[in-house]
Amino acid sequence: EPEVTQTPSHQVTQMGQEVILRCVPISNHLYFYWYRQILGQKVEFLVSFYNNEISEKSEIFDDQFSVERPDGSNFTLKIRSTKLEDSAMYFCASSEDLENIQYFGAGTRLSVL
Amino acid sequence: AQRVTQPEKLLSVFKGAPVELKCNYSYSGSPELFWYVQYSRQRLQLLLRHISRESIKGFTADLNKGETSFHLKKPFAQEEDSAMYYCALRGGNNRLAFGKGNQVVVIP
């Protein structure tokens, strides 16, 4: 069964550094998402992406965050200058269309020191 | 605003006992409700969605618009049901709003 793939599984970085989290969505899917889960808290929506542009973003997704689909397969989340409070599990998801279910990757644990 | 509430954090049940996980939501429009499950060291995966009206792995959930609830039930818990369960809502947009999740532990 096709899966959403995320790399790396764990990323450790120093505060102020830039990080790029990578995702390979399921190949025939057109909608891509990033969510995050801070330890002990809810899974929170960050951004959705369709047709090479952001279709929706939450209040969490400020100017420090950006997303990109650099080629036909990857979907990346960049955090420009990481803060301690960015430490969380980041989940990528994809769906065939708006009404279909979202399939999640295994997540990248980001630790900001 | 979309909000999902799952009141209990941890639920321990004996094998063979019934399981019920409560989920209440707040949304002004017509929502779509889901239950996602995360087994140990695995990814979040869809368990049920209300529009399918299916029973998956013995679990059922009925959307009650009057009580704004989407409780998950299973009459006889199995050890393999031990997992984290998340209720989620999708409103008029793409985003899923999740509850805090329930850790279910099935005691043999």
Side-chain angles (χ1 to χ4, degrees), chain A residues 2-64:
Chain A
E3 288 182 338
V4 175
T5 306
Q6 289 187 244
T7 54
S9 56
H10 190 190
Q11 173 88 48
V12 181
T13 190
Q14 296 287 329
M15 194 169 59
Q17 295 295 305
E18 175 184 285
V19 292
I20 298 176
L21 309 183
R22 301 180 193 281
C23 170
V24 179
I26 294 172
S27 63
N28 64 330
H29 285 188
L30 301 177
Y31 290 82
F32 315 121
Y33 314 86
W34 283 102
Y35 292 82
R36 77 169 186 195
Q37 187 177 30
I38 295 170
L39 190 63
Q41 297 187 26
K42 295 184 178 187
V43 176
E44 302 171 291
F45 170 80
L46 292 176
V47 66
S48 61
F49 191 86
Y50 169 71
N51 200 26
N52 276 320
E53 58 184 32
I54 291 174
S55 50
E56 192 188 352
K57 60 183 181 180
S58 72
E59 49 285 347
I60 302 167
F61 194 87
D62 61 23
D63 293 343
Q64 292 284 63

Side-chain angles (χ1 to χ4, degrees), chain A residues 95-108:
Chain A
S95 64
E96 258 183 272
D97 56 41
L98 266 183
E99 272 128 34
N100 252 303
I101 66 171
Q102 295 179 21
Y103 291 84
F104 283 78
T108 293

Side-chain angles (χ1 to χ4, degrees), chain B residues 4-9 11 19-25 33-35 60-62 67-73 85-88 99-102 104:
Chain B
V4 175
T5 305
Q6 292 178 249
E8 302 97 8
K9 183 70 178 171
L11 191 69
V19 179
E20 182 176 17
L21 301 182
K22 294 191 188 301
C23 172
N24 287 89
Y25 66 89
L33 274 295
F34 304 84
W35 277 98
T60 58
D62 291 314
E67 294 182 1
T68 60
S69 69
F70 189 56
H71 304 325
L72 183 69
K73 299 177 187 179
Y85 292 81
Y86 295 93
C87 184
K100 280 192 170 182
N102 292 120
V104 172

Side-chain angles (χ1 to χ4, degrees), chain B residues 26-94:
Chain B
S26 172
Y27 181 64
S28 55
S30 201
E32 190 174 0
L33 274 295
F34 304 84
W35 277 98
Y36 276 82
V37 61
Q38 189 174 29
Y39 300 104
S40 179
R41 295 192 183 88
Q42 294 188 29
R43 64 193 62 217
L44 271 167
Q45 55 187 277
L46 181 72
L47 181 64
L48 286 175
R49 65 194 294 197
H50 89 269
I51 63 172
S52 301
R53 296 185 164 271
E54 292 175 302
S55 172
I56 306 291
K57 300 185 180 185
F59 285 95
T60 58
D62 291 314
L63 179 61
N64 185 324
K65 290 187 178 179
E67 294 182 1
T68 60
S69 69
F70 189 56
H71 304 325
L72 183 69
K73 299 177 187 179
K74 183 169 181 174
F76 308 105
Q78 304 298 314
E79 287 178 64
E80 56 266 27
D81 296 328
S82 295
M84 198 74 184
Y85 292 81
Y86 295 93
C87 184
L89 176 154
R90 181 163 65 193
N93 45 33
N94 285 9

